[in-house]
Amino acid sequence: MSAKFTLIGSGLAGGMMAAFLGRRGHEVELYERRADPHAGNLVGGRSINLALSTRGIHALQQRGIADEVLRHAIPMRGRMIHDRSGKLHFTPYDRDPSKCINSIGRGALNNATIDAAQRHSNVRVHFNHRCTGIDLDAPAAQLIDTETDREKEVRADAIIGVDGAFSVIRRAMQRLERFDHSQNYLPHGYKELTIPPAADGAWQMEKHALHIWPRKSFMMIALPNPDGSFTCTLFWEFSGPRSFETVTTNDDVRRFFDEEFPDAVAIMPTLLEDFRENPTGSLVTVRCAPWHYQDKAALVGDAAHAVVPFYGQGMNAAFEDCVVLDECLAEFPTDRTRAFAEYFSRRKENADALADLAVQNFIEMRDKTASRTFRAKKKLDHLLEGVLPGVYLPLYTMVSFTRIPYAEAARRARRQDRLVYTGLGVVGILTLMLILLLAA
Ligand SMILES: Cc1cc2nc3c(=O)[nH]c(=O)nc-3n(C[C@H](O)[C@H](O)[C@H](O)COP(=O)(O)OP(=O)(O)OC[C@H]3O[C@@H](n4cnc5c(N)ncnc54)[C@H](O)[C@@H]3O)c2cc1C
């Protein structure tokens, strides 16, 4: 049963969702407020990248574009920790060195998903169209063509909101009775900075790693780009004695970086300019329920569940939404209300679990990765995974290298931790008793 879908937003998940719907033979009209992103991977002159892992790759495979996308990606095999003295410590992500996450340009990925959608003649993409409101009952979307300023209303059998964390579709659903909604901001913001390639075009740090400068209450990370540069992201408090709010002059910024990131500052020639000119973004977690209205509207990706970026999973989860919604629509071809409800029930607890994991991982990345205990725990994780294959799986492995639902991964990790720490406690007590016995 083919239907007419209007999709609002052609960010990372919009193109992917359109590709899935197009392949099933649905009529798809995709509206995006920005201009066609094929112009390049540069946002305001900056190269923006993100980490793609197993769940996202699975969705790309379903649409037959994984190989093409991965050709432009740089595998990152582990975390490279930079301490204040510039000393480096490498911790692999998994005991199997072939398991890695992939740094990919946001623009390249966006183009690949839009191209995949446009391969279907029944999918049409309209850039420069901003959605200003939704009539959920019709259902219809009100749009402005930002090139001509002309307003129009488009009707469909169903509207899908793939319009990101500040979704207009979700805002319309918030006016419905018994619609739950919460948004929580971290006290931290983020700013993107650049480490350019060396004069010969080479990467100035290890290319196959995600670099982290953990500094307890804040941190900087860097991911490699194919052109030899790194995109750095500083996650820092918005306000406080040392924060985005207070460190503003060139001298202050320079002093802060000299103190905290001396090895990075040496290879950041445009630091002051980047710091001044690049915007400071905020970090929000959005939860809502339900993710659909009858058979007329549904939310996908950040529109349904924006998470903070510290597990590198927001886009991966958004792609997984597309896979699950496609499965549900195929399972209930004549009952879209049931398909939307099933999609929501299969995804909601997983999105909630990911939101919690992402916040917890900020504390792990900015604080714990610097410690010897963290490195020892990772070694123990990998050892246990080796001696208990298929039984013990580290949480990071489950989240990044499997498609075990996020909620199940979180529960399993808690069970494993209880067993391991109880086991270690028992071994410790027995050893102590033995020592005391031998000494008596
Ligand atoms: C700093 C940072 C780093 C991140 N790193 C990672 C990572 O390493 N790995 C990972 O998996 N995820 C990462 N994420 C998360 C990831 O960016 C998001 O989860 C992902 O972009 C969600 O895709 P989406 O399509 O739902 O939303 P978006 O990508 O935000 O797309 C929404 C689209 O809708 C359009 N739109 C919005 N409103 C309207 C409107 N009214 N009318 C028409 N169009 C509209 C927007 O222009 C946009 O194109 C990161 C996020 C941040 C902030």
Side-chain angles (χ1 to χ4, degrees):
M1 289 282 287
S2 86
K4 189 166 179 226
F5 285 90
T6 289
L7 268 56
I8 305 297
S10 127
L12 294 174
M16 179 65 89
M17 195 66 240
F20 273 105
L21 292 169
R23 140 101 198 307
R24 296 268 181 209
H26 298 294
E27 287 297 314
V28 181
E29 304 289 337
L30 174 54
Y31 294 94
E32 164 61 47
R33 67 181 171 193
R34 291 178 307 183
D36 189 338
H38 285 83
N41 181 36
L42 298 181
V43 178
R46 289 167 290 141
S47 212
I48 308 285
N49 52 25
L50 68 180
L52 169 68
S53 51
T54 296
R55 295 164 204 269
I57 294 172
H58 172 73
L60 294 166
Q61 280 164 343
Q62 298 285 296
R63 298 290 18 93
I65 51 171
D67 291 344
E68 171 193 332
V69 165
L70 287 171
R71 255 200 303 281
H72 304 287
I74 299 181
M76 298 180 289
R77 304 204 174 93
R79 308 168 183 87
M80 185 68 83
I81 307 299
H82 297 239
D83 71 18
R84 270 203 186 78
S85 70
K87 223 156 101 199
L88 303 177
H89 306 272
F90 181 75
T91 311
Y93 281 126
D94 197 83
R95 59 188 297 278
D96 172 356
S98 71
K99 287 203 178 125
C100 46
I101 57 174
N102 302 279
S103 175
I104 176 87
R106 193 178 272 270
L109 188 54
N110 207 174
N111 290 346
T113 55
I114 293 171
D115 291 347
Q118 286 183 314
R119 272 177 212 140
H120 303 281
S121 57
N122 43 326
V123 175
R124 283 161 296 274
V125 185
H126 312 266
F127 294 105
N128 304 303
H129 278 75
R130 185 160 55 84
C131 176
T132 52
I134 293 287
D135 174 346
L136 285 169
D137 281 305
Q142 287 99 40
L143 296 149
I144 292 185
D145 178 334
T146 53
E147 286 186 310
T148 61
D149 268 349
R150 272 225 312 273
E151 293 182 19
K152 62 178 167 189
E153 182 171 272
V154 294
R155 283 179 175 256
D157 295 320
I159 294 178
I160 302 198
V162 225
D163 50 343
F166 303 99
S167 166
V168 171
I169 322 303
R170 190 182 68 238
R171 207 181 310 145
M173 287 165 74
Q174 276 171 243
R175 289 195 284 273
L176 296 169
E177 228 179 284
R178 303 191 61 236
F179 183 82
D180 283 332
H181 174 258
S182 73
Q183 66 180 31
N184 299 89
Y185 285 93
L186 285 189
H188 296 70
Y190 70 93
K191 194 181 276 292
E192 273 140 359
L193 307 162
T194 308
I195 292 178
D200 63 357
W203 288 266
Q204 300 203 62
M205 305 186 294
E206 168 57 49
K207 166 188 175 188
H208 293 295
L210 189 152
H211 294 261
I212 311 178
W213 290 258
R215 297 294 182 263
K216 291 211 178 291
S217 72
F218 62 92
M219 69 173 179
M220 184 166 78
I221 66 168
L223 274 70
N225 294 309
D227 66 358
S229 67
F230 285 84
T231 303
C232 305
T233 313
L234 170 67
F235 296 97
W236 199 18
E237 287 95 337
F238 270 111
S239 55
R242 257 193 351 160
S243 63
F244 280 121
E245 189 182 73
T246 47
V247 176
T248 50
T249 66
N250 282 350
D251 283 351
D252 289 349
V253 172
R254 186 82 210 188
R255 195 172 318 116
F256 169 67
F257 273 78
D258 281 342
E259 278 168 26
E260 299 295 344
F261 315 115
D263 60 333
V265 83
I267 48 176
M268 297 173 87
T270 56
L271 168 66
L272 297 178
E273 210 174 303
D274 290 350
F275 197 91
R276 202 174 43 244
E277 279 164 23
N278 296 346
T280 308
S282 53
L283 298 162
V284 68
T285 301
V286 173
R287 296 174 203 251
C288 69
W291 293 356
H292 72 107
Y293 174 63
Q294 300 170 0
D295 64 346
K296 297 170 195 271
L299 301 172
V300 166
D302 278 15
H305 52 76
V307 297
V308 293
F310 305 108
Y311 232 112
Q313 285 295 313
M315 165 266 296
N316 288 284
F319 280 4
E320 203 169 47
D321 285 350
C322 300
V323 173
V324 175
L325 180 53
D326 175 64
E327 282 166 5
C328 294
L329 287 166
E331 250 174 76
F332 306 102
T334 56
D335 187 350
R336 202 169 43 247
T337 305
R338 176 86 194 273
F340 282 172
E342 194 63 33
Y343 153 71
F344 169 61
S345 87
R346 288 183 198 177
R347 293 301 288 157
K348 174 62 176 160
E349 74 157 350
N350 293 309
D352 285 344
L354 174 60
D356 294 337
L357 288 173
V359 172
Q360 287 157 21
N361 214 43
F362 185 28
I363 300 164
E364 174 154 321
M365 285 177 86
R366 73 180 196 216
D367 187 356
K368 302 202 174 129
T369 50
S371 75
R372 283 209 180 88
T373 321
F374 173 84
R375 293 199 287 274
K377 163 87 169 69
K378 289 292 157 198
K379 280 196 181 130
L380 178 66
D381 267 352
H382 296 166
L383 183 82
L384 289 168
E385 191 186 355
V387 293
L388 300 168
V391 177
Y392 186 93
L393 273 179
L395 178 60
Y396 191 87
T397 298
M398 287 191 273
V399 169
S400 302
F401 303 128
T402 76
R403 292 193 295 120
I404 296 172
Y406 293 117
E408 194 184 320
R411 280 193 293 270
R412 189 166 159 183
R414 281 194 294 273
R415 269 199 315 273
Q416 288 179 169
D417 274 358
R418 269 200 304 274
L419 278 174
V420 169
Y421 290 115
T422 311
L424 285 176
V426 170
V427 170
I429 291 168
L430 287 176
T431 315
L432 192 67
M433 282 168 67
L434 194 68
I435 292 170
L436 290 174
L437 266 176
L438 290 174

